[in-house]
C-alpha cells in the first residue's frame, strides 16, 4: 500500500500533472466532439457528466502512466 501513496505523490508532481493536463485537454476535446457532437449540432445541451469524464479519464490515464514510468525509472516498484 506504500507504493500507492508514492504513486499518487509522483502523479501529482508539477511536470507530470501539467503534461497530463495538456494531453487531457486535447484528447478530451476530441472525445467530446465525437461523443457529443450530434447533441451539440442538434442544439441540445451537453451531458455535463460525460463532458467531465471525457477530460478526467485521459488525465488519469496519462498521469498514472507517467507516474509508473517515473517510479520504474528510479527503481521504486517491485515489478
Amino acid at each position: 500500500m506504500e507504493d500507492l501513496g508514492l504513486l499518487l505523490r509522483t502523479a501529482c508532481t508539477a511536470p507530470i500533472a501539467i503534461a497530463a493536463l495538456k494531453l487531457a485537454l486535447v484528447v478530451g476535446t476530441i472525445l467530446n466532439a465525437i461523443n457529443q457532437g450530434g447533441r451539440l449540432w442538434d442544439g441540445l445541451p451537453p451531458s455535463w457528466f460525460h463532458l467531465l469524464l471525457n477530460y478526467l479519464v485521459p488525465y488519469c490515464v496519462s498521469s498514472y502512466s507517467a507516474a509508473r514510468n517515473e517510479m520504474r525509472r528510479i527503481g521504486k516498484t517491485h515489478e
Side-chain angles (χ1 to χ4, degrees), residues 62-77:
S62 178
S63 60
Y64 172 80
S65 177
R68 291 286 294 172
N69 285 335
E70 180 64 13
M71 290 175 63
R72 282 188 188 115
R73 188 184 70 76
I74 62 174
K76 294 290 185 177
T77 63

Side-chain angles (χ1 to χ4, degrees), residues 17-52:
I18 291 168
L21 181 60
K22 288 177 182 178
L23 182 124
L25 287 173
V26 172
V27 174
T29 300
I30 293 168
L31 288 174
N32 276 306
I34 292 168
N35 295 330
Q36 298 199 68
R39 287 183 59 86
L40 298 174
W41 187 261
D42 291 340
L44 298 171
S47 166
W48 295 104
F49 175 73
H50 291 104
L51 186 134
L52 176 65

